[in-house]
Amino acid sequence: MIYTMMQVCKEADMTYQALKFYCNEGLVPYVKRDHNNRRVFDERDLKWIKDLVCLKRCGMSIQEMKEYLELCLQGPSSIPQRKQMLERKQEALRSTIQQLEESVAYIDWKQTFYDEVLAGKRPYESNLIPAGGQTEYAKTGRDPNL
């Protein structure tokens, strides 16, 4: 099957401008053109473009995608280098996931804390407000130490 730019954009869930940029940057090799000189794509192109979208979501820069493409075009001999690139991205993604999970856990804890305070199950405690009441700053909007 042959796809137009708009069809590829819909299939790959990307903007027309992004696809045009990728093509102009050389990230889509061997781009074919129809009799009106418009870009057209086949199934292999579509698969590669979907791969590019995924690589972008994984945090690869355009330069990294270009390096990855060059390695792919070298054939099977470059598989070890490609695996290394993907391993680095995978490690970074796992670290990001861990940080996000920690952030979600904090918000879960804080929401539970607020629910318990609002329900009268526990007293409100704050790292910002000294025991016994509001700070001078909270009352007046001015720092008495200035």
Side-chain angles (χ1 to χ4, degrees), residues 18-80:
L19 179 56
K20 187 175 178 181
F21 177 77
Y22 284 7
C23 290
N24 290 341
E25 287 292 312
L27 285 169
V28 184
Y30 317 119
V31 173
K32 295 160 276 310
R33 300 214 175 232
D34 67 9
H35 62 282
N36 292 318
N37 202 34
R38 289 183 285 223
R39 293 178 180 102
V40 291
F41 307 89
D42 60 22
E43 293 289 336
R44 293 176 75 195
D45 297 325
L46 178 59
K47 172 71 172 97
W48 173 248
I49 291 165
K50 286 180 177 181
D51 289 348
L52 288 173
V53 170
C54 184
L55 293 174
K56 185 67 176 168
R57 277 196 318 260
C58 290
M60 265 199 193
S61 68
I62 296 299
Q63 184 58 42
E64 288 172 316
M65 286 191 277
K66 286 180 178 182
E67 292 168 18
Y68 186 77
L69 169 62
E70 288 301 317
L71 291 170
C72 290
L73 291 173
Q74 292 174 19
S77 65
S78 68
I79 288 175

Side-chain angles (χ1 to χ4, degrees), residues 89-143:
K89 285 299 165 192
Q90 187 179 48
E91 289 171 11
L93 286 170
R94 288 189 196 285
S95 175
T96 299
I97 289 168
Q98 178 64 34
Q99 292 169 6
L100 290 171
E101 287 174 346
E102 290 170 4
S103 296
V104 168
Y106 169 79
I107 290 173
D108 288 345
W109 172 81
K110 202 66 167 179
Q111 291 286 39
T112 299
F113 171 77
Y114 290 148
D115 288 342
E116 290 174 356
V117 168
L118 291 172
K121 294 180 181 177
R122 73 182 303 167
Y124 178 73
E125 298 170 6
S126 171
N127 296 329
L128 300 173
I129 300 173
Q134 291 183 320
T135 64
E136 183 66 25
Y137 179 80
K139 291 178 191 172
T140 65
R142 291 183 304 205
D143 187 339

